[in-house]
C-alpha cells in the first residue's frame, strides 16, 4: 500500500514537472514570436479577420469564405473517409483472401499508392482520369484522397485482423459460420476495436491531406485562405486562423472516436437484433 | 456395424505438415452413433490433428472422411454442412470476447440455423441451465472462471444441435478445482447418447464415460479396444508402458 502510494505520488510529481516544462517551452516560443514580428515590421490586424469567418448584417448571419471553405473541407473529408474505409476494408480482405488474383490486385494497388506522392496522384486523377471518367474536380478530389488513404487504412485493418488469435477463426468455422459471417460477427468487430487508434490517426491525416486538393481549384479551407491572403496580405492572421480551424477539426475527430471507443468497450454489441 | 450405425468413417488419413512432420499416418477409425471414443497418446502423436481434420480445420493430404453420410471433400458446401453437424470444444475455450455469454451462444443459431432471435434465446437459456450457469447469461467471457468459460463453450457448440461432439483436451487449461465441473457436463452428454470423440489425459473420465479407447502414437493407432479390455489387459507393450506412465 505504502509503495503504491509513493509510486503514484512520484508519478504525479513527474507529471507536474512535465507540464511545467511544456508551458515553459510554449511560452518561450510565443515570446519569440511576439518579439520577432515587430522586427519584421509586421502589423497585426486581427480585427480584420472575423469578417472572413462570418458576417452579421441586420441580424442575418452569413458565412464568410473561411467557413464556406471549411464546409467544403468537411464534405470532402467525410465522403473520402467513408470511401477510404470501404476501400481499405476491401483491400485488406483481398490481401488475406485465398484467391491469387485478389491478393495480387491488392498488392499492386498498395505498392502503387504508397510509392508515389499524394500530390502527383491528385494531379493524375484530376488531369488524366477525370476527363476519361467524366467527373468534376470535387469527385476527383474525393477519389484521389480515398485511393491514397485507403491504402494505409488497408494495412492497418489487415494488421488488426491478423493480430487475432487463430482460435477465434477456428471457433467461428467450427460453428459452421461462413466466411462472411465469421468476418462480420467475430473477426472484424474485434480487429477494428484493436486498430481504432491508428485508424483515427489515418482519419486525421486524411483531413490534413485534404488541404492538397486546393491545387485542383477546389475552394476548400486552404484555398480560401490562400485567396484571402493574396487579396489582403493578412498572411499571419489568416494562416493562424486556418491552422486553428484544422486543429479544432482533427481534435474534435479524435475526441469523437475516443467517446465512441469508451461506449463500445462498455456496452455489449447488439448486433443480432431482437432480445439477444 | 451396419452402414446406418456408422456416423464417422475415416479411412487412411494422412497429414504431413510443412517440414515433413507426419501428424497422421494412414489413420483409420470408425465411430458408431452414440459411441464415446476416447483418444489418448503422447504429446505430438496427432490427436489434435485428427480432430481438426474431422471438421475441416485442417486439410488432409489423402484418405477419406465421411460424417453422417456427407463426404468431407473439396466442396465448400459439404465442409460447411459437416461443420454444422460437428461441434468442437477447444483446450483454450475460444469464446468470442466481445460478446456476452448469451450472444456467444445465440450467434450460430441465428446465422447458421436461421432461428429467430426469440427461438435462439429460449434454446440458449435451456443450454445455460443444462451446463449450470444460467445466471451468467449477460456476463462477458473475461468475467467468468475458466471452468465457466469452458461450459459456455460446450453450450455454444451444443446450440447447433450437432450429431457429433469433439473435445480437444477440454480440461487441460483448467485449474484442478474446475476440471470436475466440466467433466461432469461431458459425462452427462455421454449418458444422453451424444456421439463424442474425446482427447483427454483424464483417465478417470476415460474409464467411466468411454466406450472405446484409442491409443495413438506418431500418427497411427497403436491399440484400440473396448474400455474395460483396454485398461484391463492391454495387448501391446507400448500401451502398457504408456499406461504405467500416466496412471
Ligand atoms: N500447424 C502446424 N504446423 C506444423 N506442424 C504442426 C502443426 N500442427 C501440428 N503440427 C505437428 O504435428 C504433430 C502432431 O501434432 P498434434 O497437435 O496433432 O499432436 P497432439 O497429439 O495433439 O499433441 P498434444 O498432446 O501436445 O496436444 C506434432 O509433431 C506437431 O508439432
Ligand atoms: Mg493436441
Amino acid at each position: 500500500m505504502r509503495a503504491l502510494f509513493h509510486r503514484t505520488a512520484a508519478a504525479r510529481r513527474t507529471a507536474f514537472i512535465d507540464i511545467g516544462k511544456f508551458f515553459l517551452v510554449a511560452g518561450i516560443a510565443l515570446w519569440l514570436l511576439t518579439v520577432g514580428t515587430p522586427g519584421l515590421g509586421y502589423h497585426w490586424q486581427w480585427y480584420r479577420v472575423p469578417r472572413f469567418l462570418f458576417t452579421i448584417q441586420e441580424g442575418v448571419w452569413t458565412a464568410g469564405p473561411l467557413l464556406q471553405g471549411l464546409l467544403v473541407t468537411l464534405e470532402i473529408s467525410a465522403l473520402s473517409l467513408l470511401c477510404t474505409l470501404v476501400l481499405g476494408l476491401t483491400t485488406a480482405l483481398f490481401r488475406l483472401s485465398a484467391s491469387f488474383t485478389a491478393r495480387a490486385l491488392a498488392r499492386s494497388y498498395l505498392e502503387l499508392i504508397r510509392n508515389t506522392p499524394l500530390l502527383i496522384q491528385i494531379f493524375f486523377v484530376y488531369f488524366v482520369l477525370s476527363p476519361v471518367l467524366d467527373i468534376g474536380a470535387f469527385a476527383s478530389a474525393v477519389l484521389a484522397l480515398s485511393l491514397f488513404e485507403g491504402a494505409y487504412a488497408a494495412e492497418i485493418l489487415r494488421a488488426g485482423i491478423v493480430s487475432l488469435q487463430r482460435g477465434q477463426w477456428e471457433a467461428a468455422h467450427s460453428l459452421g459460420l461462413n466466411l462472411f459471417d465469421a468476418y462480420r460477427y467475430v473477426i472484424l468487430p474485434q480487429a477494428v476495436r484493436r486498430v481504432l487508434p491508428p485508424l483515427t490517426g489515418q482519419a486525421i491525416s486524411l483531413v490534413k491531406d485534404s488541404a492538397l486538393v486546393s491545387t485542383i481549384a477546389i475552394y476548400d479551407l486552404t484555398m480560401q485562405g490562400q485567396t484571402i491572403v493574396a487579396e489582403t496580405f493578412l498572411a499571419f492572421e489568416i494562416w493562424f486562423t486556418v491552422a486553428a480551424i484544422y486543429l479544432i477539426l482533427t481534435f474534435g475527430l479524435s475526441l469523437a472516436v475516443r467517446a465512441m471507443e469508451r461506449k463500445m468497450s462498455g456496452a455489449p454489441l447488439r448486433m443480432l437484433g431482437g432480445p439477444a | 456395424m451396419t452402414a446406418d450405425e456408422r456416423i464417422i468413417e475415416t479411412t487412411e488419413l494422412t497429414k504431413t505438415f510443412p517440414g515433413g512432420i507426419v501428424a497422421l499416418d494412414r489413420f483409420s477409425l470408425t465411430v458408431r452413433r452414440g459411441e464415446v471414443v476416447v483418444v489418448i497418446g503422447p504429446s505430438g502423436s496427432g490427436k489434435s490433428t485428427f480432430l481438426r481434420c474431422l471438421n475441416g480445420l485442417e486439410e488432409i493430404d489423402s484418405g477419406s472422411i465421411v460424417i453422417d453420410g456427407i463426404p468431407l471433400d473439396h466442396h465448400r458446401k459439404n465442409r460447411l454442412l459437416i461443420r454444422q453437424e460437428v461441434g468442437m470444444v477447444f483446450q483454450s475455450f475460444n469464446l468470442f470476447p466481445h460478446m456476452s455469454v448469451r450472444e456467444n451462444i445465440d450467434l450460430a443459431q441465428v446465422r447458421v440455423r436461421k432461428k429467430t432471435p426469440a427461438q435462439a434465446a429460449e434454446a440458449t437459456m435451456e443450454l445455460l441451465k443444462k451446463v449450470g450457469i444460467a445466471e451468467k447469461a449477460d456476463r462477458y467471457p473475461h468475467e467468468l472462471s475458466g471452468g465457466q468459460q469452458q461450459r459456455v463453450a460446450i453450450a455454444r457448440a451444443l446450440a447447433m444441435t450437432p450429431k457429433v461432439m469433439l473435445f480437444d483436451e477440454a480440461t487441460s487449461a483448467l485449474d484442478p478445482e474446475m476440471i470436475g465441473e466440466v467433466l461432469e457436463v461431458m459425462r452427462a452428454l455421454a449418458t444422453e447418447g451424444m456421439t463424442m470423440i474425446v482427447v483427454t489425459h483424464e483417465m478417470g473420465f476415460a474409464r467411466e464415460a468411454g466406450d472405446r479407447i484409442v491409443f495413438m502414437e506418431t500418427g497411427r493407432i497403436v491399440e484400440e479396444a473396448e474400455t474395460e479390455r483396454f485398461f484391463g489387459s492391454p495387448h501391446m507393450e507400448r500401451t502398457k508402458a504408456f499406461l504405467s506412465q500416466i496412471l
Side-chain angles (χ1 to χ4, degrees):
Chain A
M1 214 40 228
R2 251 185 104 104
L4 195 68
F5 172 75
H6 280 302
R7 207 166 324 146
T8 51
R12 210 172 300 142
R13 204 158 41 234
T14 46
F16 268 126
I17 294 171
D18 277 344
I19 292 169
K21 279 184 197 158
F22 168 77
F23 278 112
L24 191 69
V25 173
I28 291 172
L30 214 63
W31 177 73
L32 278 177
L33 206 62
T34 39
V35 298
T37 41
L40 291 173
Y42 194 84
H43 290 296
W44 291 95
Q45 301 179 47
W46 279 107
Y47 68 91
R48 291 178 62 192
V49 172
R51 65 191 182 87
F52 295 115
L53 287 168
F54 57 87
T55 48
I56 303 173
Q57 274 178 342
E58 293 159 11
V60 182
W61 197 91
T62 321
L66 283 182
L67 282 196
Q68 285 170 10
L70 171 64
L71 199 66
V72 174
T73 292
L74 278 175
E75 280 171 2
I76 289 186
S77 299
L79 265 174
S80 303
L81 186 59
L82 201 71
C83 299
T84 293
L85 291 176
V86 173
L87 192 62
L89 186 58
T90 312
T91 309
L93 298 186
F94 270 31
R95 274 209 70 180
L96 296 168
S97 145
S99 146
F100 174 80
T101 316
R103 285 200 308 269
L105 261 172
R107 276 304 286 269
S108 322
Y109 159 64
L110 290 177
E111 296 302 335
L112 199 70
I113 294 296
R114 289 191 303 176
N115 292 304
T116 51
L118 172 57
L119 190 58
I120 307 303
Q121 292 170 23
I122 292 176
F123 286 162
F124 181 82
V125 170
Y126 183 57
F127 293 111
V128 180
L129 279 189
S130 82
V132 177
L133 300 176
D134 194 22
I135 53 175
F138 186 87
S140 301
V142 171
L143 182 60
L145 275 176
S146 312
L147 281 172
F148 180 77
E149 310 292 343
Y152 293 90
E155 287 299 85
I156 292 171
L157 285 167
R158 187 180 69 97
I161 292 168
V162 299
S163 79
L164 295 184
Q165 281 172 2
R166 199 169 61 144
Q168 292 294 306
W169 276 111
E170 295 185 344
H173 286 321
S174 74
L175 288 169
L177 293 172
N178 59 30
L179 189 66
F180 180 83
D181 281 347
Y183 264 125
R184 172 162 172 214
Y185 294 104
V186 177
I187 303 301
L188 286 179
Q190 298 184 64
V192 168
R193 210 172 288 190
R194 268 190 203 188
V195 296
L196 215 46
L199 218 46
T200 311
Q202 205 54 48
I204 286 169
S205 291
L206 188 152
V207 172
K208 294 184 297 178
D209 291 342
S210 76
L212 283 176
V213 306
S214 60
T215 56
I216 53 171
I218 288 181
Y219 278 78
D220 73 327
L221 183 55
T222 302
M223 186 62 168
Q224 294 286 13
Q226 232 166 326
T227 316
I228 299 167
V229 171
E231 285 167 2
T232 62
F233 302 106
L234 291 169
F236 279 44
E237 293 86 339
I238 293 300
W239 288 131
F240 267 121
T241 308
V242 167
I245 296 175
Y246 275 114
L247 193 69
I248 292 168
L249 209 58
T250 53
F251 193 61
L253 191 61
S254 44
L255 280 186
V257 174
R258 214 170 303 165
M260 196 172 80
E261 211 175 349
R262 246 199 312 275
K263 218 170 133 194
M264 259 176 27
S265 62
L269 292 181
R270 292 275 173 258
M271 44 190 184
L272 293 173
Chain B
M1 233 189 286
T2 66
D4 199 42
E5 280 175 342
R6 296 194 282 263
I7 188 160
I8 300 176
E9 285 186 85
T10 68
T11 31
E12 304 264 302
L13 303 184
T14 55
K15 173 74 190 176
T16 310
F17 282 109
I21 301 159
V22 180
L24 290 178
D25 184 7
R26 287 183 289 135
F27 184 96
S28 303
L29 185 72
T30 301
V31 178
R32 248 185 301 118
R33 241 172 249 284
E35 194 178 17
V36 177
V37 174
V38 176
V39 180
I40 62 174
S43 181
S45 55
K47 308 181 294 292
S48 299
T49 306
F50 171 57
L51 291 193
R52 295 160 53 78
C53 285
L54 280 183
N55 67 355
L57 287 182
E58 212 75 76
E59 228 172 293
I60 48 175
D61 299 330
S62 65
S64 82
I65 297 175
V66 180
I67 294 178
D68 202 27
I70 308 165
L72 180 62
D73 47 26
H74 292 296
H75 293 91
R76 191 181 308 174
K77 193 152 175 242
N78 282 350
R79 199 172 55 191
L80 280 178
L81 274 178
I82 283 186
R83 282 172 174 169
Q84 290 173 22
E85 302 309 330
V86 178
M88 182 149 187
V89 177
F90 303 87
Q91 181 175 350
S92 50
F93 325 140
N94 294 343
L95 292 178
F96 306 134
H98 58 299
M99 297 184 194
S100 68
V101 164
R102 197 195 287 280
E103 288 167 330
N104 262 277
I105 303 174
D106 283 344
L107 180 64
Q109 298 183 62
V110 175
R111 298 306 308 173
V112 184
R113 290 285 188 230
K114 307 294 177 201
K115 290 191 198 171
T116 67
Q119 289 168 329
E122 203 184 319
T124 297
M125 277 324 287
E126 281 304 309
L127 284 165
L128 282 175
K129 273 182 209 145
K130 184 168 169 174
V131 299
I133 34 175
E135 76 283 3
K136 303 285 186 193
D138 293 309
R139 299 271 147 201
Y140 280 78
H142 70 90
E143 298 173 303
L144 305 183
S145 74
Q148 291 168 336
Q149 288 189 50
Q150 193 61 299
R151 284 186 281 156
V152 173
I154 294 173
R156 182 177 67 176
L158 289 176
M160 287 294 294
T161 52
K163 296 195 172 112
V164 177
M165 285 285 284
L166 310 176
F167 293 84
D168 190 2
E169 304 199 26
T171 56
S172 295
L174 296 177
D175 291 336
E177 71 270 22
M178 293 168 189
I179 291 175
E181 64 195 48
V182 172
L183 288 182
E184 198 179 315
V185 171
M186 290 167 62
R187 222 173 271 132
L189 263 183
T191 314
E192 283 171 24
M194 174 65 79
T195 309
M196 295 161 65
I197 301 185
V198 183
V199 171
T200 186
H201 297 300
E202 298 293 330
M203 289 305 130
F205 175 85
R207 271 177 201 272
E208 251 179 81
D211 295 315
R212 186 151 52 112
I213 314 292
V214 172
F215 171 49
M216 66 185 293
E217 187 162 42
T218 59
R220 299 163 183 239
I221 295 180
V222 175
E223 182 165 3
E224 68 164 293
E226 305 281 301
T227 306
E228 238 168 77
R229 210 285 271 138
F230 185 91
F231 287 110
S233 54
H235 291 177
M236 310 293 287
E237 286 306 316
R238 183 66 192 101
T239 313
K240 288 176 196 162
F242 182 74
L243 285 177
S244 71
Q245 253 174 23
I246 56 168
L247 288 178

